[in-house]
Amino acid sequence: MSLPIAAPTHLSPAEYLAWERKATFKNEYLNGAILAMSGASEAHNRITVNIILRLGSLLDDLEYSIYVGDLRVRAGAGDSYLYPDVVIVRGKPRFEDDVFDTLLNPAVVVEVLSPSTEARDRGEKFAQYRQLASLQEYILIAQETVHVEHYLRQGPQWLLTEFRHIEAMLPIVSAGCELPLQHIYRLVEFPDNAENQ
């Protein structure tokens, strides 16, 4: 989750990266704007952990690397640095430099939505991620109801498939596996007014 804060000055991408590496809390850098990362909800954390645990058991060979929230991804034309909730890399991970904290070649990016970040995750961030030639899938997961949106690259287009039933299986095409929504939402408590299919 992220909330806008005022940067001390306008920072170039290189200045942001140097500043961020010394910061005591995470900040995204989106088209020149610095966005402080706030804490995530219990449901957000549970969903992220559920995904990581299942992917770890499905992708236990050296062909894939799985990363969670603390690893930056450089996106766009190199002018945005983002912290996805989950990233899958196929093959050897490539990093921006020898600090190994900024990933360049994600194949799959997963974002767990929250009210404060949903518009940005769907809009600006997706626009930046789409510029990465390596990215094949972008997955948005609601935390207040059963709803997963799966965007799959089809040449220059992105094909959207939505999943709203807890019995559904989410395909991770790039990794040749499926995630059951029952596992993604395992132990998540929905608000009383949410429709849990």
Side-chain angles (χ1 to χ4, degrees):
M1 299 181 172
S2 54
L3 297 171
I5 62 166
T9 61
H10 178 77
L11 300 177
S12 70
E15 291 168 332
Y16 155 78
L17 197 55
W19 176 74
E20 174 69 3
R21 285 176 170 158
K22 295 176 186 172
T24 57
F25 53 90
K26 295 188 304 186
N27 303 275
E28 290 187 321
Y29 182 79
L30 185 59
N31 290 323
I34 294 176
L35 307 168
M37 304 293 287
S38 65
S41 70
E42 191 269 345
H44 184 288
N45 278 293
R46 190 173 296 279
I47 290 167
T48 303
V49 168
N50 288 343
I51 292 168
I52 291 295
L53 289 173
R54 179 51 66 104
L55 285 175
S57 67
L58 294 172
L59 306 177
D60 61 354
D61 60 44
L62 298 178
E63 186 178 356
Y64 300 96
S65 299
I66 306 162
Y67 300 100
V68 67
D70 286 336
L71 188 67
R72 270 185 307 281
V73 169
R74 188 182 80 187
D79 55 0
S80 292
Y81 291 86
L82 308 169
Y83 286 96
D85 292 311
V86 179
V87 175
I88 300 172
V89 174
R90 185 173 183 171
K92 184 175 176 65
R94 290 188 3 252
F95 294 93
E96 183 164 35
D97 55 29
D98 61 2
V99 181
F100 303 107
D101 63 356
T102 305
L103 188 64
L104 301 177
N105 63 329
V108 180
V109 166
V110 179
E111 294 283 8
V112 179
L113 301 174
S114 67
S116 64
T117 65
E118 183 172 354
R120 191 175 308 113
D121 288 338
R122 292 181 184 288
E124 295 171 281
K125 287 176 75 172
F126 189 23
Q128 294 298 308
Y129 286 132
R130 282 195 310 262
Q131 295 180 50
L132 293 168
S134 64
L135 188 71
Q136 299 302 306
E137 295 172 75
Y138 187 60
I139 299 167
L140 300 174
I141 300 178
Q143 61 176 302
E144 296 180 353
T145 188
V146 174
H147 187 200
V148 176
E149 297 168 65
H150 177 257
Y151 292 88
L152 178 65
R153 188 187 294 265
Q154 300 279 303
Q157 305 295 320
W158 288 84
L159 175 66
L160 169 63
T161 305
E162 296 185 70
F163 303 90
R164 295 180 180 267
H165 299 284
I166 198 72
E167 299 84 15
M169 299 289 283
L170 170 66
I172 309 292
V173 178
S174 304
C177 67
E178 293 182 315
L179 292 178
L181 267 63
Q182 284 183 328
H183 190 84
I184 292 171
Y185 287 106
R186 182 177 170 271
L187 301 177
V188 173
E189 294 185 18
F190 296 103
D192 292 338
N193 61 352
E195 291 183 24
N196 187 2
Q197 307 277 329

